[in-house]
Amino acid sequence: MSTPGVHIVVYPYPTAGHIIPILDLTQRLLTRGLTVTVLVTTNNLPLLDPYISSHPSSLNHLVLPAPDIAPPQQNRFLANMRALRDLHYPILLQWFQSHSSPPVAILSDFFLGWTHHLACELGVPRLVFSPSGAFGMSVAFSMCRDPPKNDDPENIDFLVSLPRIPSSPVYPWWQVPQQYRVGVEGDPDWEFYKKNMLANTASWGLVFNSFTELERVYFDHLKREVGHDRVWAVGPVLPPDDGDLEQPANRGGAISVPCHEVMSWLESRPVNSVVYVCFGSHAVLNSKQMDVVAAALEVSGVQFIMCVGEPAGQQQHASDDHGVIPGGFEDRVDGRGLVIKGWAPQVAILRHRAVGAFLTHCGWNSVLEGIAAGVVMLTWPMGAEQFTNSRLLVEQLGVGIPVGGGRQNIPESTELARLLGISVGGGRPERVRAKELSDAALTAGRGGSSHQALDEIAKLLADYRK
């Protein structure tokens, strides 16, 4: 369907892992005839380039100043959330009110809950975009409404139960995201975070980069939680799998190795024989974790591609322990291992028939990319909602093999090597289930539940404008 003339604002949280999926969603809205203005800070402007070139007349952007967070900050994440609101709210209010054809709705990231209040002041609907899944959002809402408490603060294995959520998940204290462990009633940062997240439940609609068949029970739960049915699963929002490597390769930034070189390396490998190893754009392995991963890859004998992230500037501290690839490792695995330092063409790699397994930190973008590609997932969550995502993959979807957890549960290299070995090839029940979910993801986007949800959103926005 097409809805020409409907103008909306898209406001990502300004980090790559949040910007990329909301831009992929924007692409789908543009194909339905909407006009979109993306709000972006200068340093993230290059991420827009491939989308602008595809939709030069209907995709606009407004450059906003980036907040200046002076170190040291006890919690830079919360400080950044507050600074974005303080800096951008008055700018956006004035921009909307002076615009000759103001947008009819705001679609903004779930870390920008304060835009609900901006939308109310402007008299337009606000749609929440969640780059995380419905299970992860269910946990976040529960922990904001009823913050977890540790009756034995010295015990990091103290169990926290969430009985209101389907499957009643129980977490050891060390797996509870940091903001809930350190949050204190009355603390301004914690109170801001809590109100910011709960504003999402009061917003007009929620849009998830997920698909109904993946998390149906949690979508039903969230509809009960917010009291309406304007909760949509529109994912996976990924570049089309049409054989064109250019779009997935350029998605998210400049890659450090040309995509065609990586694809050529994979072409000579048998089907499902390669393990792809990547812990995301933010998680940087410490020395022990890196040594275990490298040793396991070396002794396992498996073919692999390993993406090694560089610590971002804001994450570097003198006390941080950043692991480095052991000396001589690349020479010792030459011929069966490819090491990529920096950004990798992850979607293109996972889609290649030679890749059979994915050792991942379980960030939601990686989870969806792995599911869409139909690979077995070796799960090693590091923080945030990643422990919840790992549970979904292992316990509920049956496509994951747990290998570790953060810094508290680092596997022995021999055990990790064994798991790497059994994850590739045929015969694993996880591989059968992965193929089923991959087919379901494809169907959802090609005329199925996610396609229909996007049509419904576009129609409702057009009707709202009238």
Side-chain angles (χ1 to χ4, degrees):
M1 67 171 294
S2 181
T3 51
V6 177
H7 179 201
I8 69 166
V9 151
V10 167
Y11 186 7
Y13 186 76
T15 60
H18 289 246
I19 295 173
I20 294 167
I22 204 171
L23 289 180
D24 286 338
L25 170 60
T26 298
Q27 175 112 324
R28 283 159 172 74
L29 294 173
L30 290 166
T31 62
R32 284 164 170 78
L34 275 74
T35 298
V36 178
T37 298
V38 177
L39 310 180
V40 64
T41 51
T42 305
N43 59 317
N44 288 312
L45 261 176
L47 294 175
L48 272 177
D49 290 343
Y51 303 90
I52 291 174
S53 62
S54 301
H55 302 274
S57 61
S58 52
L59 179 59
N60 308 302
H61 64 275
L62 174 66
V63 178
L64 296 173
D68 181 18
I69 309 296
Q73 284 284 345
Q74 186 174 8
N75 192 320
R76 287 188 64 87
F77 166 61
L78 290 182
N80 194 56
M81 287 176 71
R82 295 182 73 172
L84 284 168
R85 180 200 60 181
D86 295 345
L87 186 60
H88 291 176
Y89 193 117
I91 295 173
L92 293 175
L93 184 63
Q94 193 274 334
W95 179 79
F96 264 87
Q97 291 174 340
S98 62
H99 201 290
S100 58
S101 178
V104 301
I106 298 172
L107 172 66
S108 57
D109 190 276
F110 68 179
F111 282 156
L112 304 169
W114 55 266
T115 56
H116 164 66
H117 306 295
L118 173 66
C120 289
E121 186 168 354
L122 292 166
V124 299
R126 183 253 174 158
L127 291 85
V128 182
F129 176 71
S130 175
S132 294
F135 188 9
M137 182 67 97
S138 297
V139 171
F141 285 165
S142 175
M143 289 189 175
C144 281
R145 285 192 170 126
D146 186 17
K149 293 182 172 55
N150 187 344
D151 297 333
D152 183 8
E154 300 301 314
N155 180 11
I156 62 169
D157 292 316
F158 181 85
L159 296 180
V160 173
S161 176
L162 305 178
R164 288 181 54 188
I165 297 176
S167 78
S168 301
V170 177
Y171 297 87
W173 187 250
W174 62 271
Q175 290 185 8
V176 173
Q178 182 188 21
Q179 60 267 33
Y180 305 110
R181 281 186 275 129
V182 301
V184 178
E185 294 296 323
D187 174 70
D189 277 346
W190 164 246
E191 293 296 337
F192 171 77
Y193 177 83
K194 185 168 64 171
K195 290 175 182 175
N196 196 55
M197 289 301 290
L198 291 178
N200 293 321
T201 67
S203 292
W204 183 77
L206 290 88
V207 182
F208 285 85
N209 184 18
S210 183
F211 57 104
T212 303
E213 295 78 6
L214 194 70
E215 304 184 275
R216 188 183 303 274
V217 65
Y218 299 106
F219 286 115
D220 291 342
H221 167 74
L222 286 170
K223 288 174 182 177
R224 292 191 297 270
E225 284 282 291
V226 300
H228 58 75
D229 288 337
R230 292 185 303 278
V231 178
W232 295 283
V234 300
V237 287
L238 297 171
D241 189 4
D242 54 9
D244 177 13
L245 295 178
E246 198 65 28
Q247 191 176 3
N250 291 335
R251 177 176 175 265
I255 58 176
S256 52
V257 177
C259 189
H260 68 86
E261 290 185 15
V262 181
M263 295 300 109
S264 296
W265 188 92
L266 285 168
E267 280 299 314
S268 61
R269 270 70 190 175
V271 174
N272 292 336
S273 66
V274 176
V275 179
Y276 175 57
V277 180
C278 183
F279 289 88
S281 56
H282 284 287
V284 178
L285 301 183
N286 65 19
S287 298
K288 185 175 180 181
Q289 291 167 328
M290 178 66 80
D291 289 347
V292 164
V293 171
L297 289 169
E298 191 170 336
V299 302
S300 69
V302 300
Q303 312 266 340
F304 69 89
I305 293 178
M306 182 183 186
C307 178
V308 182
E310 303 290 335
Q314 67 178 28
Q315 295 173 304
Q316 294 187 57
H317 303 285
S319 60
D320 282 357
D321 172 16
H322 298 307
V324 296
I325 298 172
F329 172 76
E330 292 178 74
D331 292 333
R332 293 192 295 273
V333 299
D334 187 41
R336 67 175 178 89
L338 177 63
V339 177
I340 299 175
K341 297 170 183 174
W343 196 266
Q346 180 162 297
V347 172
I349 290 171
L350 288 169
R351 284 176 175 172
H352 196 282
R353 64 185 181 279
V355 177
F358 181 12
L359 174 53
T360 172
H361 69 310
C362 302
W364 190 249
N365 289 334
S366 292
V367 165
L368 279 183
E369 289 161 8
I371 283 173
V375 298
V376 174
M377 314 283 274
L378 294 159
T379 70
W380 189 340
M382 293 292 175
E385 90 289 8
Q386 295 157 17
F387 294 99
T388 296
N389 298 342
S390 176
R391 284 167 182 255
L392 183 71
L393 292 171
V394 174
E395 299 170 10
Q396 300 180 38
L397 300 177
V399 297
I401 301 172
V403 303
R407 300 185 178 195
Q408 281 73 19
N409 181 17
I410 299 176
E412 295 292 331
S413 59
T414 51
E415 174 61 8
L416 180 55
R418 183 186 74 82
L419 295 172
L420 289 167
I422 67 172
S423 71
V424 290
R428 294 292 307 182
E430 293 89 357
R431 186 164 310 287
V432 175
R433 183 65 179 133
K435 178 63 169 66
E436 293 172 351
L437 279 178
S438 175
D439 291 344
L442 188 65
T443 300
R446 291 185 177 174
S449 58
S450 294
H451 182 95
Q452 293 164 20
L454 275 167
D455 283 350
E456 183 181 335
I457 292 169
K459 182 179 185 303
L460 284 173
L461 290 176
D463 291 345
Y464 199 95
R465 182 188 57 167
K466 297 171 187 174

